[in-house]
Amino acid sequence: MATRSWWGWGTVDEAVTGTERTALTSRVAALLPEADLTVHEPPDPRSLSVPAPRVLVPDSLARLASDELGDRIRHGHGQAFRDVVRSLLGRVDYVPDQVIRPRTEQDVIDVLDWCTSARVAAVPFGGGTSVVGGVELGCAPDYSGTIALDLGHMDRILELDRTSRAARIQAGILGPALEAELRPHELTLRHFPQSFEFSTLGGWLATRAGGHYATVYTHIDDMVESMNVVTPVGISASLRVPASGAGPSPDRLFLGSEGALGVITDAWVRLQDRPRWRAGASVVFDDYGNAVAATRTIAQSGLFPTNCRLLDPVEAFINAATNTAGGVLVLGFESADHPVDQPMHRAVQICLDHGGRVPDGIRTTDSADTGTHTGAADAWRTSFLRMPYQRDALAAQSMIVETFETACTWDRFDALRAAVLAAATAAFESIGVAGVVTCRFTHVYPDGPAPYFGIYAAGRWGQTVEQWDEIKTAVSEALHTCGATITHHHAVGRDHRPWYDRQRPEPFAAALQAAKSTLDPAGILNPGVLIDPSK
Ligand SMILES: Cc1cc2nc3c(=O)[nH]c(=O)nc-3n(C[C@H](O)[C@H](O)[C@H](O)COP(=O)(O)OP(=O)(O)OC[C@H]3O[C@@H](n4cnc5c(N)ncnc54)[C@H](O)[C@@H]3O)c2cc1C
């Protein structure tokens, strides 16, 4: 079995080395010649000073618990740039006292009962890929101890309904295992966040994750039929129906609840037949305004492409090796039911009407002909899955490499992009670093895009976390001022709290506070995310 990296993304074997490292370094040196790209190695985790566990588990739970140092360290942080760099610097700011791995719903109930009575804070833990401080509790002085409640042993498909195309799946299952179990049934959940390999169904539900498809079924919210959630005061099991108008939806309360209201143990999710027909094209533009207009027209056309990823010129240069003044629109369609040439041709025509060019033409595949499920989209996905490893390599070379994701209506996009670029540039100047900002759309809706901004800046070793924090604050303020959301799919966690608290309406905050007090009266569930427990 592959060894997981304790400090960074994925597995040790997959880390960037050799020619990949050389190529990456020379690309960055060309972009930012002033960058000091000396490679810094992570410390030996056994050399780190970590306090002994503050709390011991009762005998009845001992079979589920681990206080092994490496296990505790790996459960004390997520996978954001600032998490990776702090680990590289040997700064393990938070380490849970115990890691507890329940195997059954009753185990979860027993753990929460103990936490409530012993005043131990419990952080539900899926794959630990949070990028918003969602699993990093901090020192928690008000509690007698802290645990990571790792759902990784609850990882099975419990029931499959082929007729309705749905399955009841345990929360701790990782993306690849979930898809592998569905494949023999020719079914797929078709939810592929970039973190797919190392994140779980429960994590996706608890953070309202977004997959990499651009339109229609891409948010995990839309794939949920019903959910089973263990709260400290009882189990909330919603009715399994395709739709219901019976008042506010119980599922909507727990989707995005980030471990603060209950522990999701399993869910019935909607499945789809595996796609067979695919079409893809890359459209090059000379003018970014025209590229945005073409993308908006496609988003409003009712064509619903699978992929509609507009890369701005800097993003196209860095991540698609394409030199263009107006950016590149990566278009894709797929279907399990019919060929998709027609919608693709219509989408391309819209681009041509806006001055786009399609130098490489349209690529179509039929997996029944090729005998495989691979294609251009899968090749792109492979490079997409490589990006986190490259981010970590650059983080170890003093680079600040991180992203912001948001959503706004089309009428506000131009002003938003200008404000983000201005805020980031001012922050670069204030901290004295050279940097660039990129923008791509990860998702598009008829009424607006979800822009995803990338930051590449030449930081100073030992200071890149604080430098990033300054950039993050400046850009988050710009998002707030422009009326854009503080997060489109990465969730709130602890890092986005200052802006989330200002974004949500006060009566809603009061209702959320009441829900927290009712479901978790002792305030033991993931304190600090979303809303604070009542004193
Ligand atoms: C390189 C990289 C790429 C990413 N790409 C995407 C992307 O494309 N789309 C996207 O949406 N996000 C993305 N993310 C963010 C992250 O992967 C998602 O938020 C993901 O949904 C977290 O799942 P997880 O299983 O790792 O959850 P964790 O990180 O373990 O937990 C996240 C939050 O959910 C809570 N939680 C976890 N499991 C449960 C449960 N069973 N019950 C109750 N609460 C629970 C935790 O307490 C925590 O608050 C990315 C992150 C990285 C590092």
Side-chain angles (χ1 to χ4, degrees):
M1 202 170 123
T3 310
R4 286 291 299 272
S5 165
W6 77 266
W7 61 273
W9 183 249
T11 65
V12 173
D13 293 349
E14 293 289 325
V16 171
T17 52
T19 49
E20 188 181 7
R21 162 92 67 184
T22 312
L24 187 64
T25 304
S26 63
R27 273 211 320 273
V28 174
L31 190 72
L32 296 166
E34 51 282 89
D36 169 12
L37 297 172
T38 308
V39 178
H40 299 270
E41 297 296 339
D44 181 338
R46 286 164 305 189
S47 69
L48 304 175
S49 112
V50 175
R54 274 196 294 165
V55 68
L56 298 176
V57 294
D59 290 348
S60 57
L61 298 176
R63 69 196 161 85
L64 309 173
S66 152
D67 61 4
E68 192 268 320
L69 180 67
D71 213 10
R72 288 173 60 211
I73 291 178
R74 210 179 72 67
H75 285 80
H77 57 83
Q79 290 288 333
F81 166 79
R82 62 196 315 287
D83 302 321
V84 169
V85 178
R86 283 180 304 158
S87 296
L88 278 168
L89 293 170
R91 276 174 48 187
V92 284
D93 298 347
Y94 162 68
V95 177
D97 296 304
Q98 302 281 343
V99 177
I100 301 190
R101 293 183 169 85
R103 294 184 171 274
T104 62
E105 183 181 87
Q106 188 59 48
D107 288 343
V108 176
I109 295 169
D110 293 344
V111 174
L112 294 190
D113 282 351
W114 168 62
C115 290
T116 299
S117 62
R119 194 150 178 76
V120 171
V123 179
F125 191 100
T129 65
S130 169
V131 284
V132 292
V135 294
E136 184 177 338
L137 180 54
C139 62
D142 297 345
Y143 296 84
S144 58
T146 65
I147 63 154
L149 187 59
D150 184 332
L151 277 290
H153 286 170
M154 295 180 69
D155 62 349
R156 287 181 308 123
I157 296 192
L158 300 173
E159 292 175 71
L160 193 131
D161 171 355
R162 189 67 183 83
T163 309
S164 320
R165 287 197 328 195
R168 182 173 161 229
I169 306 180
Q170 287 186 308
I173 196 166
L174 292 166
L178 186 158
E179 285 296 327
E181 284 204 46
L182 294 176
R183 193 167 292 118
H185 305 279
E186 282 294 310
L187 290 169
T188 172
L189 179 61
R190 217 169 156 273
H191 180 70
F192 300 110
Q194 191 183 27
S195 53
F196 170 76
E197 262 182 291
F198 300 105
S199 55
T200 62
L201 174 63
W204 301 337
L205 295 166
T207 60
R208 301 181 62 197
H212 86 229
Y213 295 121
T215 67
V216 197
Y217 291 114
T218 185
H219 284 278
I220 197 72
D221 313 25
D222 296 328
M223 301 174 197
V224 174
E225 276 186 342
S226 69
M227 281 163 72
N228 206 56
V229 186
V230 175
T231 78
V233 295
I235 297 175
S236 169
S238 58
L239 185 66
R240 185 191 162 217
V241 281
S244 169
S249 156
D251 295 335
R252 289 275 159 189
L253 179 64
F254 292 107
L255 284 163
S257 60
E258 303 192 22
L261 301 180
V263 180
I264 302 160
T265 50
D266 62 78
W268 273 98
V269 288
R270 303 190 168 100
L271 305 173
Q272 298 181 50
D273 294 323
R274 300 182 72 78
R276 170 178 162 184
W277 286 276
R278 291 188 168 94
S282 294
V283 187
V284 175
F285 288 89
D286 296 324
D287 178 84
Y288 185 64
N290 286 344
V292 173
T295 309
R296 174 168 50 81
T297 308
I298 292 170
Q300 295 174 341
S301 65
L303 290 168
F304 299 120
T306 306
N307 214 339
C308 190
R309 194 170 288 260
L310 177 61
L311 318 180
D312 81 354
V314 192
E315 175 83 32
F317 178 72
I318 294 177
N319 283 323
T322 308
N323 225 332
T324 156
V328 175
L329 178 60
V330 182
L331 274 174
F333 286 85
E334 61 181 43
S335 170
D337 180 72
H338 49 262
V340 286
D341 312 44
Q342 243 184 343
M344 175 53 103
H345 279 104
R346 176 64 199 133
V348 164
Q349 186 57 51
I350 290 172
C351 294
L352 299 179
D353 293 346
H354 286 81
R357 290 174 282 113
V358 191
D360 300 326
I362 295 172
R363 303 170 303 276
T364 55
T365 54
D366 173 351
S367 57
D369 293 343
T370 60
T372 69
H373 287 281
T374 61
D378 296 273
W380 177 82
R381 216 170 78 216
T382 305
S383 83
F384 180 65
L385 295 176
R386 210 59 218 132
M387 285 177 192
Y389 288 104
Q390 300 190 344
R391 177 204 62 178
D392 289 2
L394 292 176
Q397 292 179 271
S398 307
M399 286 290 295
I400 302 167
V401 188
E402 190 47 299
T403 57
F404 297 95
E405 38 80 55
T406 185
C408 65
T409 45
W410 287 110
D411 61 317
R412 294 181 176 182
F413 171 65
D414 290 345
L416 173 78
R417 181 165 173 266
V420 167
L421 295 187
T425 307
F428 293 158
E429 279 173 20
S430 147
I431 57 180
V433 300
V436 294
V437 186
T438 67
C439 178
R440 64 175 187 254
F441 294 164
T442 55
H443 305 82
V444 290
Y445 305 91
D447 49 343
Y452 190 90
F453 295 96
I455 301 279
Y456 297 80
R460 272 186 300 280
W461 186 244
Q463 295 173 31
T464 51
V465 172
E466 291 71 21
Q467 291 177 326
W468 161 249
D469 286 347
E470 199 167 317
I471 301 167
K472 169 93 182 169
T473 301
V475 174
S476 299
E477 283 301 322
L479 297 182
H480 184 74
T481 307
C482 292
T485 176
I486 190 60
T487 177
H488 170 263
H489 56 264
H490 281 170
V492 175
R494 295 178 174 78
D495 297 356
H496 285 152
R497 274 295 298 278
W499 296 278
Y500 174 65
D501 287 5
R502 282 150 71 190
Q503 176 174 326
R504 68 182 169 205
E506 270 313 311
F508 179 78
L512 192 57
Q513 185 76 67
K516 172 80 180 162
S517 302
T518 304
L519 298 172
D520 178 24
I524 49 130
L525 279 171
N526 211 359
V529 299
L530 282 186
I531 194 131
D532 295 322
S534 306
K535 290 286 177 205

